[in-house]
């Protein structure tokens, strides 16, 4: 009997966090004029992980990918597509995905490329990988979010440096004969690029412009709350399901107040929301797969349960995906 393998399912998850947690008090001890009380009250963040100098996004991505492969029961050579979502790649080129492919020992493999959609990068990458699989072009993808945001933070800007962390998360997405991903939607509106950006570049052998993350926090807050609830509704409509059928919301982990506000607008109780922002801070493209992997390994998300992931990031970009795990 022929099997119609037109669907894409998540077969395994993995993640990696560098080093020991750095608490808010540790930041104070390092000379940043802030407090645990200020940071926690406004963001819900208690700690983050920061990569040692010399540790790159590909280092974190490889560790997360190896875990995801093991969870899926697959070997590196089973992978024919690698997409890494990152805004902090190892190099201008080659892509971080190419470096991950080499480090995994995959020679002469399928496509490997990076996606740059900042904190929505993982949702973008998942959406793209699903399309490659559903056309039949590829059978099994590694979809990775990996960031070393600590490298683009201005540690003299207490309004931003306390918010972010480093890490990586990964999933193996593979062809299947029953639906895994039910629907996904992506959006962008570049007219908001100025409220969250790193407005620098390399030219003539020098960094020109500003190489650090700059943000209008209140404008970002308002925008994020608005589009996250809209896009969650949109993806559920696209899949033809209601919020009542969603077992877990795994949102981008930027700020607990944004997460709570989105859950409230969707009518989802917080015990259906995976929130790791207290321990990870905002790890940008890594935040959703990191939280997803944590929820899977801790036994919160069970096979067969319905999961909604959603993100918003610089660009601005935003999107959501709904899948049965
Ligand atoms: N510690 C102590 N005080 C601080 C700190 C700090 N780390 N940072 C700023 N302050 C001070 C400011 O100097 C200011 O002092 P002043 O009143 O004497 O001038 C005061 O705190 C208030 O500053 P605001 O920037 O107005 O603080 P706000 O209440 O807006 O909170 C925050 C800032 C937490 C960034 C908030 O706007 C926010 O959460 N925005 C969402 C942004 C976000 O989550 N971005 C993540 C990236 S985007 C994404 O992932 C989609």
């Amino acid at each position: 009997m022929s099997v119609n393998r037109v669907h894409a399912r998540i077969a395994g998850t993995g993640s990696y966090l560098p080093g020991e947690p750095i608490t808010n008090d540790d930041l104070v001890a390092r000379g940043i004029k802030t407090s645990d009380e200020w940071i926690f009250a406004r963001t819900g963040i208690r700690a983050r992980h920061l990569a040692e100098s010399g540790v790159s996004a590909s280092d974190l991505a490889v560790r997360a990918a190896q875990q995801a492969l093991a969870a899926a029961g697959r070997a590196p050579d089973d992978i024919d597509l690698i997409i890494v979502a990152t805004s902090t790649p190892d190099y201008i080129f080659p892509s971080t995905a190419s470096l991950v492919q080499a480090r995994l020992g995959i020679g002469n493999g399928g496509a490997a490329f990076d996606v740059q959609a900042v904190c929505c990068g993982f949702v973008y990458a998942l959406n793209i990988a699903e399309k490659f699989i559903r056309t039949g072009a590829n059978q099994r993808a590694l979809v990775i979010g990996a960031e070393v945001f600590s490298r683009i933070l201005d540690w003299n800007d207490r309004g931003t440096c306390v918010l972010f962390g480093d890490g990586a998360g990964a999933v193996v997405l593979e062809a299947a004969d029953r639906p895994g991903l039910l629907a996904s939607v992506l959006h962008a509106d570049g007219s908001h690029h100025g409220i969250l950006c790193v407005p620098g570049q390399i030219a003539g052998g020098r960094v020109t412009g500003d190489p650090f993350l700059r943000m209008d926090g209140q404008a970002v807050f308002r925008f994020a709350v608005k589009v996250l609830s809209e896009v969650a509704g949109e993806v559920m409509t696209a899949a033809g399901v209601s919020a009542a059928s969603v077992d877990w919301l795994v949102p981008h982990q930027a700020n607990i107040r944004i997460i709570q506000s989105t859950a409230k607008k969707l009518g989802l109780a917080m015990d259906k929301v995976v929130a790791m922002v207290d321990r990870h801070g905002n790890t940008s493209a890594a935040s959703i797969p990191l939280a997803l992997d944590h929820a899977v390994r801790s036994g919160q998300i069970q096979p067969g349960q319905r999961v909604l992931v959603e993100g918003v990031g610089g660009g601005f970009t935003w999107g959501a995906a709904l899948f049965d795990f």
Side-chain angles (χ1 to χ4, degrees):
M1 190 181 85
S2 72
V3 177
N4 186 12
R5 295 166 69 83
V6 293
H7 300 290
R9 288 189 74 83
I10 291 177
T13 66
S15 63
Y16 182 71
L17 290 161
E20 295 299 314
I22 308 292
T23 65
N24 295 339
D25 286 335
D26 291 334
L27 295 183
V28 174
R30 290 177 182 204
I32 296 168
K33 293 194 174 6
T34 188
S35 66
D36 178 57
E37 190 189 13
W38 192 97
I39 299 170
F40 185 72
R42 283 174 174 75
T43 69
I45 297 168
R46 288 277 193 211
R48 75 288 292 142
H49 291 248
L50 302 175
E52 296 282 330
S53 90
V55 174
S56 64
S58 71
D59 294 323
L60 309 184
V62 166
R63 301 286 285 267
Q66 287 167 334
Q67 259 200 7
L69 285 167
R74 297 295 179 184
D77 281 339
D78 295 328
I79 296 298
D80 58 12
L81 172 65
I82 301 178
I83 307 179
V84 175
T86 186
S87 297
T88 48
D90 291 29
Y91 305 125
I92 291 175
F93 72 81
S95 70
T96 308
S98 296
L99 303 175
V100 169
Q101 191 211 45
R103 292 268 299 278
L104 291 174
I106 305 170
N108 194 19
F113 57 91
D114 290 359
V115 165
Q116 217 281 40
V118 201
C119 303
C120 195
F122 181 77
V123 181
Y124 265 62
L126 193 65
N127 181 303
I128 295 165
E130 186 218 8
K131 287 177 171 57
F132 274 67
I133 288 172
R134 291 195 66 170
T135 64
N138 294 77
Q139 290 298 304
R140 194 164 295 111
L142 263 172
V143 184
I144 306 169
E147 300 282 15
V148 282
F149 250 55
S150 55
R151 305 288 152 71
I152 55 168
L153 299 176
D154 177 354
W155 289 95
N156 293 312
D157 176 8
R158 65 180 182 170
T160 55
C161 71
V162 302
L163 305 176
F164 296 89
D166 302 334
V171 303
V172 172
L173 189 74
E174 61 183 25
D177 53 9
R178 65 199 162 100
L181 249 85
L182 304 173
S184 60
V185 289
L186 301 178
H187 289 286
D189 182 347
S191 67
H192 300 282
H193 64 270
I195 61 172
L196 179 58
C197 54
V198 180
Q201 59 171 288
I202 294 178
R206 290 188 301 123
V207 174
T208 61
D210 185 345
F212 295 121
L213 182 149
R214 301 298 173 200
M215 179 176 71
D216 176 343
Q218 290 178 8
V220 168
F221 192 101
R222 285 192 297 274
F223 191 87
V225 168
K226 177 177 176 292
V227 298
L228 285 173
S229 49
E230 282 173 4
V231 81
E234 194 182 344
V235 80
M236 287 189 287
T237 302
V241 306
S242 70
S245 77
V246 173
D247 295 299
W248 292 100
L249 172 66
V250 186
H252 171 48
Q253 310 282 312
N255 181 312
I256 195 67
R257 293 187 298 143
I258 296 177
I259 294 172
Q260 287 164 340
S261 170
T262 310
K264 193 172 169 192
K265 285 193 177 182
L266 293 174
L268 285 175
M270 279 305 285
D271 61 7
K272 287 183 146 194
V273 179
V274 178
M276 298 299 297
V277 67
D278 59 330
R279 285 187 251 174
H280 298 169
N282 182 348
T283 56
S284 191
S287 93
I288 292 172
L290 260 167
L292 177 66
D293 183 54
H294 173 86
V296 169
R297 283 174 197 275
S298 68
Q300 284 178 289
I301 295 179
Q302 293 288 325
Q305 288 193 317
R306 183 161 291 166
V307 181
L308 198 165
V309 299
E310 59 171 0
V312 57
F316 254 73
T317 55
W318 65 102
L322 191 69
F323 58 86
D324 287 341
F325 185 67

